[in-house]
Amino acid sequence: QMLLVESGGGLVQAGDSLRLSCAASGRTFGDYNMGWFRQAPGQEREFVAAISGSGGRTVNANSVKGRFTISRDNAKNTVYLQMSSLKPEDTAVYYCAAGTTIMALTTRRPDYWGQGTQVTVSS
């Protein structure tokens, strides 16, 4: 019932910045907590960041604190992930997700997943 379409992935060098976008449709966007996840080859899908429906609360993984910022624009039904000081270990497929609670996102059980977008950071 909710479609999530991601964009912004690409190939960058270590130290660069990149902004990912996720456009949502099909449900009332402001009712959903939104989040970002990533999965590197051969590894489990990892929680990155989440934001409440109104944007008033955010949660970040320790691995990205101080470097990544999640935000949303409810007028545009879009959530963003601004990434800075990128490292080769940030290389992964990044997924957008929507959930009825923050817990659903932090436990990797959202209601809806996006298709994923590749981010590759070279040294």
Side-chain angles (χ1 to χ4, degrees):
Q1 291 184 303
M2 192 174 195
L3 178 65
L4 304 175
V5 180
E6 303 172 2
S7 62
L11 174 63
V12 298
Q13 293 182 313
D16 283 355
S17 297
L18 197 64
R19 188 178 75 161
L20 305 182
S21 299
C22 175
S25 61
R27 298 299 304 271
T28 303
F29 184 65
D31 288 346
Y32 284 86
N33 303 277
M34 301 297 298
W36 288 95
F37 300 79
R38 66 187 184 185
Q39 187 168 21
Q43 299 186 220
E44 296 287 326
R45 191 166 297 186
E46 175 189 13
F47 169 78
V48 175
I51 187 168
S52 62
S54 67
R57 187 203 300 177
T58 60
V59 180
N60 299 100
N62 289 333
S63 59
V64 305
K65 284 183 178 178
R67 298 190 299 121
F68 292 9
T69 301
I70 188 170
S71 63
R72 66 192 296 162
D73 186 341
N74 285 359
K76 296 182 178 180
N77 286 8
T78 302
V79 63
Y80 306 94
L81 184 68
Q82 180 66 51
M83 305 182 291
S84 62
S85 301
L86 283 163
K87 306 173 181 179
E89 51 262 47
D90 294 318
T91 296
V93 177
Y94 282 72
Y95 298 90
C96 175
T100 55
T101 65
I102 288 288
M103 181 70 75
L105 294 169
T106 59
T107 59
R108 293 175 287 125
R109 298 181 70 253
D111 297 287
Y112 305 99
W113 287 104
Q115 78 284 357
T117 184
Q118 178 71 45
V119 173
T120 302
V121 184
S122 66
S123 59

